Amino acid sequence: MNVAIDLANLVAIALIIYGLHELNSPATARRGNRFAMGGMAIALAGILIRTQGIGWQVVAIGVAIGAIVGIYAALKVKMTAMPQMVALYNGAGGGAAALISTVEHYVAHGSSMNDVISVSLVLSAIIGSVSFAGSIIAFLKLQEVMTGRPLTYPGQQFVNGVVLLAILGLAVWFVVTSGTLPAWGYVVLLLAALLLGVLFVLPIGGADMPVVISLLNSFTGVAVAITGFELDSTLLIICGALVGASGTILTVAMSRAMNRPLTNVLFGAFGAAGGTVVAGAGGAPQQVRATSADDVAVMLAYANKVIFVPGYGMAVAQAQHSVKALADQLEKRGVKVLYAIHPVAGRMPGHMNVLLAEANVPYDELLDLEDANTELPTADVALVIGANDVTNPAARNVPSSPIYGMPILDVDKAKNVVVLKRSMRSGFAGIENPLYELPNASMLFGDAKASVDALTAAVKAL
Amino acid sequence: MNVAIDLANLVAIALIIYGLHELNSPATARRGNRFAMGGMAIALAGILIRTQGIGWQVVAIGVAIGAIVGIYAALKVKMTAMPQMVALYNGAGGGAAALISTVEHYVAHGSSMNDVISVSLVLSAIIGSVSFAGSIIAFLKLQEVMTGRPLTYPGQQFVNGVVLLAILGLAVWFVVTSGTLPAWGYVVLLLAALLLGVLFVLPIGGADMPVVISLLNSFTGVAVAITGFELDSTLLIICGALVGASGTILTVAMSRAMNRPLTNVLFGAFGAAGGTVVAGAGGAPQQVRATSADDVAVMLAYANKVIFVPGYGMAVAQAQHSVKALADQLEKRGVKVLYAIHPVAGRMPGHMNVLLAEANVPYDELLDLEDANTELPTADVALVIGANDVTNPAARNVPSSPIYGMPILDVDKAKNVVVLKRSMRSGFAGIENPLYELPNASMLFGDAKASVDALTAAVKAL
Amino acid sequence: MALVPETVARFVKSGLAVAVERGAGSEATFADELYTQAGATTAGDAAALLRDAGVIVTVGRPSDAMLADVRAGSIVVGFLNPLGDPEYLKRLAAAGVTALAMELIPRITRAQSMDALSSQSNISGYKAALLAAAALPKFFPMLTTAAGTIPPAKVLVLGAGVAGLQAIATARRLGAVVSGYDVRAVVKEQVESLGAHFLEFDLGSDAEGAGGYAKELTAEQQERQRAWMVEQIGANDVVITTALVPGRKAPVLISEAAVAAMKPGSVIVDLAAEAGGNCALTVADQTTVSPNGVTIVGTTNLPATMPADASRLYSRNVYALLSPWIKDGTLAIDMDDEVAKGAVVTHDGKVLIGGNA
Amino acid sequence: MALVPETVARFVKSGLAVAVERGAGSEATFADELYTQAGATTAGDAAALLRDAGVIVTVGRPSDAMLADVRAGSIVVGFLNPLGDPEYLKRLAAAGVTALAMELIPRITRAQSMDALSSQSNISGYKAALLAAAALPKFFPMLTTAAGTIPPAKVLVLGAGVAGLQAIATARRLGAVVSGYDVRAVVKEQVESLGAHFLEFDLGSDAEGAGGYAKELTAEQQERQRAWMVEQIGANDVVITTALVPGRKAPVLISEAAVAAMKPGSVIVDLAAEAGGNCALTVADQTTVSPNGVTIVGTTNLPATMPADASRLYSRNVYALLSPWIKDGTLAIDMDDEVAKGAVVTHDGKVLIGGNA
Amino acid sequence: MTDISHLVSLLTVLLLAVFVGFEVISKVPTTLHTPLMSATNAIHGIVLAGAILVTAGLFASSHGAALTILAVAAVTLGAINVFGGFAVTERMLEMFRRKDSGR
Amino acid sequence: MTDISHLVSLLTVLLLAVFVGFEVISKVPTTLHTPLMSATNAIHGIVLAGAILVTAGLFASSHGAALTILAVAAVTLGAINVFGGFAVTERMLEMFRRKDSGR
Ligand SMILES: NC(=O)c1ccc[n+]([C@@H]2O[C@H](COP(=O)([O-])OP(=O)(O)OC[C@H]3O[C@@H](n4cnc5c(N)ncnc54)[C@H](OP(=O)(O)O)[C@@H]3O)[C@@H](O)[C@H]2O)c1
Ligand SMILES: NC(=O)c1ccc[n+]([C@@H]2O[C@H](COP(=O)([O-])OP(=O)(O)OC[C@H]3O[C@@H](n4cnc5c(N)ncnc54)[C@H](OP(=O)(O)O)[C@@H]3O)[C@@H](O)[C@H]2O)c1
Ligand SMILES: NC(=O)c1ccc[n+]([C@@H]2O[C@H](COP(=O)([O-])OP(=O)(O)OC[C@H]3O[C@@H](n4cnc5c(N)ncnc54)[C@H](O)[C@@H]3O)[C@@H](O)[C@H]2O)c1
Ligand SMILES: NC(=O)c1ccc[n+]([C@@H]2O[C@H](COP(=O)([O-])OP(=O)(O)OC[C@H]3O[C@@H](n4cnc5c(N)ncnc54)[C@H](O)[C@@H]3O)[C@@H](O)[C@H]2O)c1
């Protein structure tokens, strides 16, 4: 029997790893998740068989509650609240690891345990608790129960240091005494670890939460792997290590996608809720969402209709050939690409025409103002390539604006607007563009040619 | 002590895996090889310590001979003979695995062994022998001691089947008797396995040998992993499995790079030594080397000077913008790119100029015939993009040719010539181009635009 | 032709009655029937038409004879050259008309669609490059042929406003190696945004003035500029000049010495000919050849050589200008409108100029 | 100008003495000094020059008056129109000269660099597109401007040989929407290789003849072609025609009905004007306007409007033709050479034509 | 000794699993970051297995109800982690469905 | 039982190593195919370790010289595999050196 279970475990592990592999690409991700689920199911079934149903009633109760709560919440929650949901579930995992250690500790109470067990027990308790508490704070921040702003206070570093030292001291004590330290010792240890989790996440801004959650996810992975040593379970070791390692890679990738080093995210005490605040053209702060070429690439590749809106920035960057290459790449995937040409885009009449003709863009893909404004509301993405004034909604609705009354391209009516420019600087008219703050807009900063080339490469790689 | 060795082994494994990881990219490959060497050194040192020097004299003799032979041959052999060298070394590994099993078999002789050992012993003996014999045949074929042509004869399938069945039968007998079968049984098993290796490789053509060697490499990996079970060594299991798996991936990648399914390579009994024979423009067969975008990309990316030679095919494919993009990509890497414009390339005077100007190629990168022929001998690669007649050396040296006397671009004087065209069809003059058979020429078949785009992507990925 | 049938139809739709002089559109390829189809009436008697009209739209300016027929209180729209000929304005005022000078429409964002200077300059720039290519005894593009390689022509565009930029774009399209030059510093990026090269010359100060136009240079700056030009010009086969300073004589950029430095067969197209020319040897409305064989094209009204598109663009500009003021079938200029403040040069018998120009 | 200084220098270097009529190069921007610098002598007396010369290089053909001065046994090279005017050949033969007709150089690969028909056609095609753009009252390119969007001009090129392809390329560079048409089937791919559209019309047979030239169509095919053209032509603003069949009158592709189907202001540039014209209304050497306002340009010698490059290319062709026959400072035609077999039309007092043409 | 060798074999497994974890996540498009994070999250839900083992262990000998409650809490949390994690991932991946039909 | 559990742990290691092997080779440019093949080739030279173990084992009890010769042959072959393999790889990778300086 046990041999069968062992072999089933191997299958489970293979399925989980393969599932993770498939999760790498949008095309296979769903299948990958199913594989991982299958592997998990086999592994859990194996455990139930192995425990021969001892205590199945209480286990059943626990599983039932957990499954119902977990699935119900997962299905009910709004799409936008997904990140905090992930945080919560991660916290649950960390909490479970810490609880397992706690139970084991009290079961063994008094009798001394071997070094492997004592070390792994105390480590999994600490890391699990940190992950648990940290995840809850992350949840509260994202759910806006707590302010998304970084919470800092004087002497913060010192307090953190003290807590960390306390934990280390207690942990060493625990190992040295082979787990036979007085009862309060363990309790204090746990509380200190929980506190550390809270303190760790508090100073981090809401915008950076996804990176933090990913890091806590990999912490939980590590905790679970260590729990594996504690319980002598290769299953836990492997799954935990898998998550610990892949989570680390992911965390780094995520912070890189935000164009920030990880250390900056974690210890920068910097970054605010939902978007980056940058100085707008007028000097006043504008809160915009900076995005990455990879993200935009997915958006473009899975769109039905994309409208390119070229402006003077495309001309300055001489990006016309790159723009055509991107359009070709998208059209190859069945995406419909059109170009909206504003009458005064650029710096001379017909500026965009000259450049796009040079790049061999067929005339029938060029829309003039009226046609473009008919098409834009049905577009999935409006990709604004170095245009600014000609997309400024202030011309429509701010009578005091110097450009009020100029007909503009209604890019804000598209499902998504991505703006390619180098900075928040203004265009010819020298005014701020409220477009950039709209919820459906995001900015891809950088030279237009470089950005468009990056998009082409990213679309190709999908 | 042993604990230290165990931990050192973990380090060794980590180094080997990490080295393999680094071998994935040209930029880090050398470092990767060094890491793997380091890991190997640690592992071997560990083994020597563990055996406490028992029999060190004979071991030293064996190692010394092996090291001297191996390194000497590796350093002396010509660059072009590398593949057969790899085959030989691979055969050595397979042979060693088979010998280990043989020794173990005779050591245990008579006394029955447990199932894990008997199964692994017989498997590693068989697979090791197949790999050993197959590698030697591959070596002989590539070294041209034996003909590179596929050797086939009627009833081949049947003979192979009989040998395979014999091996299987003996193997089962071996396991069932727990290794206590009569002495001749094991000997016959070994011989049959060696024979199978020979029979397996004989019908495969010289051009396909690299794929076969890679497959045999992964066989040896599997044999070593199984030897690990036999000797209860995780070191051997891990290294063997690593090679078995990565070797399989590599084999598939290699046959894909040759545009042939693996089964075709192995069982096609098809493919001749050094190049593909195709019908030339005149109907007579021409022996040319077809290459892949990945290969050409590396050639281009690591070149100092590349000269593009556009012709009518670039115009037909309307590849001018793609060509410019490739040039940009190469220039970004510091490669010098020039364009050689033949006076009658294309179908109207200045045809190439019109197209390249459209793609914004700066005029000062365009070389006319004379300048181009001064530059070409110093170029690392001449990339001929849909040109044919204007590169035909027959114009220089075949007085009977209808184009004799026309000045041509001496692309054959460049270190490497890569020709992008769709087929072996002729150009305007309707004649065969002997350029394609030169040893420094290779063909990248396909529509010029598609090929150039593939090159750009491949260069970017490097 | 000041109004094309398409625009006439739009005016008619907004309730105005439009009358067109018979045959006026034929030059610009618009036959009388097209106008009647668009809802206009046509008549042969221009004087009668003028007497009836509440709004008179022309391209150039009505002659004094015509002004005699114009009703007092009516509106006249056209290129009136108010800065060049202040006397004429007095006559307009005397006639009692409200005159809108197209060249004085302020360069504010909202008025871009009314900006006939831009739309006509655009045509001039395009046509100047074509004329230069036609006049040059050589190819513009580089061509490698069996009979040898033809090097590309070198084109220099002086003054990169609307016309200059379009000339740059057109010459580049034809395959010439193009450089541009201007006194305003912002232009460098604009020239480069067309893929051309910008010639840098340090004037010591930026010459950007009001409304995006250039200021006049000091005498010393002009002298230095001309000297520098003598060095630059010889390398070019074609020079297209478009440098203007509103209300002034065009700056002379190409001295006689500079022309002498050019190779025989070279071509100069001087779009500033009407304002006195950017080249010292330019004769307005004539193509002359310098002693050393340089062709100098002193054309003054290039848009007239592309009448169909020139009329189409001009009439759209006029429509954009007037339509916001049409209410319930009548046109009443809102004199507080920023555009009116700039463009109205006479009103109620008074000359208003100086207010915004 | 048949020889430019650069080529003169090469002839001089290979040992020939070159004499140039004084002032002959000025039109093509080559001053007399350049010739003397290149090693030629210049003289004012053309008759004396002719009497002295062993080889006479011209662009067109020597007049009968000039022939009177030519030495018997000398070599004459130029466009001699041998198929169009056989009578002239007899006069050449009578003068005892060995005459090489540039237009009869065979279209073999080796002779590409001597092919003056190609090099001059190339100029014609380029210039034809420029002329059309200059004559059209509209823009070639599409332009989206504040005053509205200007649609691109539509250009149709009939006959896509050397001149036609270059016209296509040039019109496309200027931003027009271009289609091409030819009777030879291979041309489709060539037109498309320039990014233009090919108009397909099923003639029932391919009309590719010897040397890559077209064959003459049957009367029935011509009729069908003309009828089809009437349908096609109205959609275009510009038609450039280059259709030629060697030695025949040019095929009439555009009937009067077709011209009538075009919009006023449209432009036809007929490069076949000299051979009778591809358009029924073409008048050679004149620009006419049809009753419905279509401008028809019947220009016959476009290369002459680009004298510098035309001369440069032509003289390189001549050099490529003659230089293989120069040995030790004398020129002796190898009458067995395939090129000579094709191009020599009179020799030793006999007319040789019919041999290869 | 066996203890040690057992530990070494666990460490070997750990090492290899870490490598698999590092290698398996290659260039993921940014949009997959969150689903991937969520999926790995669900995978460490395997801690549920540990919680079940521990709970079962409590029943082997007698311990206080307090410990049982803690153990069941661990089971519950683990279950939330597994079930919720996979469900969330599944929902997030819904948005890539279009692709399958879209192309 | 322990035998079995030992086997299972070896199999676990095998499984993970196989995954590492699969994952570690991602998109290799074709030119690296041969060096990579050669490097993996050298890695299975670890069989030398096995050969050494076996040889040492022979000395623990007495066996015929024949077996010793076989064992030494195994050692020799293994050594050829390791040393030759790495050396060949190193030489092949020489050609990528230019890059480091070239850029
Ligand atoms: N068409 C005409 O005839 C004409 C003539 C004169 C004036 N104008 C005026 O010009 C304006 C045209 O509008 P528009 O939207 O085309 O241009 P715009 O409003 O001037 O905006 C251009 C934007 O492109 C960005 N940019 C510049 N270089 C870039 C590069 N290399 N890569 C990426 N982004 C770059 C700039 O932002 P960063 O600096 O942050 O990158 C800038 O905000 C209108 O205000 C119009 O009235 C037009
Ligand atoms: N320039 C002139 O004025 C002029 C005029 C008339 C004739 N010619 C003659 O034309 C020839 C020009 O030489 P060339 O070297 O430019 O051209 P070429 O000799 O005609 O060769 C062109 C080659 O391009 C390949 N090709 C065609 N379409 C392709 C595509 N879509 N993708 C990739 N390859 C493609 C063809 O091979 P596959 O079919 O195998 O792809 C063909 O062999 C000379 O013989 C010249 O004498 C020139
Ligand atoms: N509303 C708007 O936003 C709007 C509309 C149209 C034009 N503009 C801008 O206004 C500017 C002027 O346009 P324009 O074409 O009507 O100008 P213009 O015709 O008055 O002058 C042409 C050019 O000559 C240049 N110039 C003057 N003196 C010179 C000298 N000594 N040397 C060299 N160059 C000299 C000027 O700088 C200008 O660029 C342009 O930058 C144009 O983009 C803005
Ligand atoms: N040696 C060489 O390889 C070489 C050199 C130069 C030209 N060529 C080729 O020779 C061919 C002819 O060149 P050309 O320009 O001197 O030809 P051309 O001037 O004699 O004729 C011009 C074009 O008109 C076309 N035409 C004739 N009758 C027509 C009709 N009824 N309707 C439509 N089109 C008609 C012809 O097919 C030709 O393409 C071209 O394809 C050219 O590429 C080859």
Side-chain angles (χ1 to χ4, degrees), chain A residues 94 97-102 119-129 222-228 230:
Chain A
L99 282 179
I100 289 175
S101 288
T102 308
V119 169
S120 57
L121 195 155
V122 75
L123 279 180
S124 107
I126 294 170
I127 301 176
S129 301
V222 172
V224 170
I226 296 174
T227 308
E230 187 183 337

Side-chain angles (χ1 to χ4, degrees), chain F residues 30-55:
Chain F
T30 324
T31 339
L32 273 181
H33 282 171
T34 317
L36 196 57
M37 171 163 76
S38 162
T40 54
N41 183 342
I43 289 171
H44 62 50
I46 192 71
V47 72
L48 172 57
I52 294 175
L53 274 181
V54 169
T55 312

Side-chain angles (χ1 to χ4, degrees), chain A residues 65-224:
Chain A
I65 298 175
I68 290 169
V69 170
I71 295 180
Y72 181 83
L75 295 184
K76 280 294 147 196
V77 78
K78 267 185 297 173
M79 233 21 203
T80 48
M82 281 299 173
Q84 47 263 53
M85 219 57 223
V86 174
L88 221 46
Y89 293 158
N90 179 55
L99 282 179
I100 289 175
S101 288
T102 308
V103 172
E104 287 285 285
H105 171 60
Y106 287 107
V107 166
H109 197 64
S111 62
S112 85
M113 32 180 112
N114 84 29
D115 285 352
V116 172
I117 297 199
S118 69
V119 169
S120 57
L121 195 155
V122 75
L123 279 180
S124 107
I126 294 170
I127 301 176
S129 301
V130 167
S131 186
F132 177 73
S135 294
I136 301 232
I137 300 296
F139 169 81
L140 294 177
K141 284 203 170 207
L142 283 180
Q143 194 69 9
E144 289 174 15
V145 175
M146 232 158 125
T147 169
R149 230 137 1 93
L151 283 181
T152 51
Y153 53 90
Q156 197 164 24
Q157 305 287 45
F158 178 74
V159 173
N160 291 357
V162 168
V163 174
L164 196 64
L165 270 183
I167 293 174
L168 284 180
L170 288 165
V172 170
W173 186 19
F174 187 95
V175 172
V176 168
T177 61
S178 297
T180 57
L181 76 179
W184 65 264
Y186 186 79
V187 173
V188 172
L189 179 65
L190 266 195
L191 290 178
L194 289 171
L195 182 60
L196 185 65
V198 173
L199 293 178
F200 170 59
V201 179
L202 271 188
I204 301 174
D208 291 332
M209 271 311 137
V211 179
V212 174
I213 296 175
S214 175
L215 187 71
L216 292 173
N217 177 37
S218 106
F219 277 13
T220 303
V222 172
V224 170

Side-chain angles (χ1 to χ4, degrees), chain C residues 87-163:
Chain C
E87 287 307 310
Y88 179 72
L89 289 191
K90 293 191 190 144
R91 294 198 292 278
L92 276 175
V97 300
T98 302
L100 286 154
M102 291 301 286
E103 50 267 82
L104 288 188
I105 290 174
R107 287 204 159 163
I108 56 175
T109 305
R110 182 167 59 81
Q112 281 173 316
S113 55
M114 318 166 186
D115 186 353
L117 267 189
S118 279
S119 68
Q120 306 300 303
S121 292
N122 191 29
I123 295 179
S124 302
Y126 167 75
K127 207 56 189 281
L130 283 185
L131 280 189
L136 190 71
K138 303 205 267 179
F139 277 100
F140 260 29
M142 173 174 178
L143 292 177
T144 305
T145 76
T149 297
I150 297 159
K154 290 201 172 148
V155 175
L156 173 61
V157 176
L158 300 176
V162 176

Side-chain angles (χ1 to χ4, degrees), chain A residues 347-348 428, chain C residues 106-109 111-112 115 117-118 121 158-165 181-184 186-187 190 207-208 211-217 222 225 242-246 251 253:
Chain A
R347 289 290 184 275
M348 69 160 206
F428 183 83
Chain C
R107 287 204 159 163
I108 56 175
T109 305
Q112 281 173 316
D115 186 353
L117 267 189
S118 279
S121 292
L158 300 176
V162 176
L165 289 176
Y181 167 69
D182 202 299
V183 286
R184 291 178 301 123
V186 287
V187 174
Q190 298 176 6
E208 175 127 7
Y213 292 105
K215 289 187 299 202
E216 191 164 21
L217 304 184
Q222 292 197 23
Q225 201 184 39
T242 77
L244 287 174
V245 180
L253 305 174

